[in-house]
Structures are given as structure tokens and as C-alpha cells.
Amino acid sequence: MERRTIGAGALRAGAIGLGCMPMSWGYTRSQQDLERSLRAVHAALDTGSNLLDTADMYGPFTNELLIGRVLKERRDEAFVATKCGLLVGVDQHVVANGRPGYVRRACDASLRRLQTDVIDLYLLHRADPEVPVEETWGAMAELVTAGKVRALGLSAMGARAVRRTAPVAGVHGLHVGRYEETVRLLDRVQQVFPVAAVQAELSFWSREALDTLLPWCTTRGVGLLAAMPLGNGFLTGTLTPGQGFEPDDIRARHPRFTAEMMAANQPVVAGLRRVAARHGATPGQVALAWLLRLGHQVIPVPGAKREEWVRENARAAGLSLTPRDLAELAALPPARD
């Protein structure tokens, strides 16, 4: 698989990564299966999808423990990205903690769970409003100096976007959002220590990051890890309107996954399916290939917990979209919220 460069340190990872969160967090608990998840992680390394994206809060902690079992055997093959800065309390209530002392302890704990001596990319999951972000980032930079971390990143997941309608990059009728607050945060921490990568939601139906965040990354050589690149599974074409989700699945509370909105957004999936049919591919593979064309600093990180899904996603790295494909995709109506 093609390798892509992350940050000024020229760290290299597979063009498509593996989001490990669904194995332990956020999706239907009844479908979690440790052995199946382990096979999926091994499959990712086999295919070259070696960027393993996890976090201490996933579980909490159990996702890093799972990844650690694989790293114990195959550390040299993996690019490990994990996160700190969020604590999970009673009833899954999440709070930010950016105190320097906590960041140092969190890193040491992640290293133990991951069974490794160094984390390739350490991301701040969320800035703590009670702590100047420069203090948090400074503590993270000390971890690089200490040799515990190779590079630093910032997660923009959950960043509030101001939405408007405007054409972007030649895409007709695109709903875009502005990550101005995220960019301001990035400019601040960049003064303390270089940002190697930013993680943000980016997919064929969630394109807010194209407006401000991607250009910021492009001009500075910063990697963009595209989270939820398959739209929480919607862009795979395997979900049907009204199918319902178990209460512990994040999609059960997501407005885009009501029966009405899933039905309204079927034209998006239909368009992906038409393009996929010309290549003997799947809609999800087309969605990932579309992301890969946005720039060499973009690495889609689809979440998966089954080996067959991991291998299917990896094959998208070899899918070349034609001008006809791109024109047809650009003409599709924007996703509705």
C-alpha cells in the first residue's frame, strides 16, 4: 500500500488507516468480540493499513489493551496513534483534563497498555477549557523530548462548525463549515511545538473540513486523519432507512440516522454505487478513494471491527477514479442534515 507522510518529521503510514474505536466504544456493545477484533487488527497490518488509531478513553482503556496484544507481536509493522485529554466518568460522562501532570501520567499508562516504548502520534483529544492549551501542549512536547512520543497531533472531533452553503473545490452546492476556532487553537499550539497531524471528521457527506482545516494542513505539511470517512457506515450502502440501532450505538441518537434522513440521503449512496459498479468496487471503496484524491496529506481512518471490512477498505487504496467518476460525484446533491 502507498505510504503517506505525516508532519515535518516525515513519519510514514499507510494511505488508509484503521479506526479501532468501534471494537470497544461507541457502537453496539453486544457486537463487540475480542478475538474477532484482534483478527481485524492483524488483517490491517497484513494489508499495509498500519495506522492504528485508538485512545485511552475508548472502553475506557480496553481498546489500548486490545491493540497492545497485537503490538507485542508486531510493533515494527504498526504506526500507533493514541489520544489523551478526556476522562470517562459515571454513566459514560466525558470531561476534559489537560493538566500537565495528568498528561504525563496518561502517556505512561498508555505506553503500558499498548506494550510499547514509544507512541508514534500522540493526539490531544480535546482542549481543557480550564487549562491554557499551551500548557497542555508543552507537557506533550516534553514527552517527545523524553523519547516517549514521536510526534504530536490535535483531534478536532466534536469541533463546532458554523455552516453555510458555498462551492468548494469545484463541488456543486456543498454545505461547508468553518473550523476557525480549531485553526486558532492550532496556531497557538504550533508556536509551542510543531503539529504533525490533525484528526477531524471528513467524508463524502461531511465536508466541513475542506473549507478551512484542510487548507491549513496543506500549507504547513500537516497530516489530516479523516475520521468517520464512511459516514458511520452509511456510505457503505449496507444500512437501510428505519432499520434502527441499539440504544448504546451512537447512531441511535444521531440526527442523520433517523429513518427520514437516511431515506433523504439515499441519492448520495446511489451515486457512489453507480460509480462503484463501473469498477467492480463497493460504494465505501469509492468514498475512500474520493478522500485519497484530496491530497497526499489526507489519510482516511475508517473504523472497522471485522477482518473482511478491513480488507475491503484497504483495497480502496488501489482504486483510481476517472474524470467521469469525479464529475458524476461532484454533481450529486449534498447530504442533508
Side-chain angles (χ1 to χ4, degrees):
M1 180 182 291
E2 171 200 351
R3 289 288 185 265
R4 295 197 163 188
T5 302
I6 294 178
L11 297 176
R12 294 177 66 77
I16 292 177
L18 173 63
C20 301
M21 184 186 80
M23 302 173 186
S24 311
W25 177 265
Y27 292 83
T28 306
R29 192 173 296 113
S30 65
Q31 295 183 15
Q32 293 175 6
D33 184 309
L34 176 60
E35 294 303 320
R36 183 176 64 196
S37 295
L38 288 170
R39 290 193 296 272
V41 180
H42 279 291
L45 297 182
D46 291 342
T47 62
S49 296
N50 67 331
L51 193 158
L52 307 179
D53 177 59
T54 182
D56 57 5
M57 73 162 286
Y58 298 158
F61 312 130
T62 54
N63 199 247
E64 285 187 332
L65 289 168
L66 186 159
I67 302 304
R69 291 181 56 173
V70 177
L71 296 181
K72 186 177 181 179
E73 304 174 20
R74 307 179 67 174
R75 179 63 183 94
D76 291 344
E77 301 173 62
F79 184 104
V80 183
T82 192
K83 312 174 194 70
C84 71
L86 288 179
L87 296 174
V88 182
V90 179
D91 297 326
Q92 304 295 291
H93 180 64
V94 177
V95 296
N97 187 339
R99 293 190 294 274
Y102 173 74
V103 167
R104 299 183 191 103
R105 293 192 300 274
C107 180
D108 287 341
S110 288
L111 287 169
R112 287 193 297 271
R113 287 188 291 267
L114 291 166
Q115 300 193 56
T116 185
D117 295 327
V118 63
I119 295 165
D120 295 305
L121 180 65
Y122 202 39
L123 297 105
L124 179 60
H125 217 152
R126 185 181 302 164
D128 185 342
E130 303 298 324
V131 179
V133 71
E134 291 84 355
E135 293 184 16
T136 305
W137 201 255
M140 295 175 69
E142 291 174 5
L143 299 172
V144 179
T145 302
K148 297 179 179 182
V149 170
R150 290 198 172 98
L152 302 183
L154 182 74
S155 172
M157 300 303 297
R160 196 177 294 271
V162 178
R163 302 179 68 82
R164 63 182 174 85
T165 300
V168 172
V171 181
H172 173 69
L174 178 62
H175 246 325
V176 299
R178 299 179 181 179
Y179 275 86
E180 277 92 349
E181 184 57 37
T182 299
V183 166
R184 282 193 287 269
L185 198 65
L186 287 164
D187 285 335
R188 289 171 60 185
V189 299
Q190 187 85 324
Q191 300 304 310
V192 178
F193 192 87
V195 178
V198 180
Q199 185 174 49
E201 181 176 3
L202 177 59
S203 71
F204 189 73
W205 79 335
S206 294
R207 310 183 200 176
E208 291 87 351
L210 294 179
D211 186 30
T212 304
L213 194 55
L214 181 57
W216 189 94
C217 292
T218 300
T219 58
R220 292 162 179 80
V222 172
L224 178 59
L225 308 186
M228 293 183 277
L230 296 176
N232 298 102
F234 184 76
L235 299 180
T236 65
T238 60
L239 304 180
T240 57
Q243 72 174 63
F245 300 96
E246 294 189 25
D248 58 339
D249 191 312
I250 56 176
R251 292 170 294 186
R253 302 177 298 279
H254 197 301
R256 275 191 172 174
F257 286 93
T258 63
E260 177 185 4
M261 293 312 299
M262 287 179 71
N265 283 314
Q266 286 303 307
V268 176
V269 176
L272 292 171
R273 187 174 281 115
R274 286 193 297 272
V275 171
R278 293 200 288 268
H279 295 272
T282 67
Q285 288 171 332
V286 172
L288 293 174
W290 180 86
L291 283 169
L292 290 172
R293 288 185 60 91
L294 294 177
H296 286 286
Q297 77 281 12
V298 176
I299 298 180
V301 188
K305 54 183 179 287
R306 294 177 182 269
E307 178 181 355
E308 58 268 31
W309 297 345
V310 170
R311 295 187 183 279
E312 177 181 313
N313 293 338
R315 287 194 291 273
L319 176 59
S320 297
L321 299 178
T322 67
R324 175 190 175 189
D325 297 331
L326 296 171
E328 187 170 332
L329 293 173
L332 291 175
R336 291 179 53 188
D337 290 317

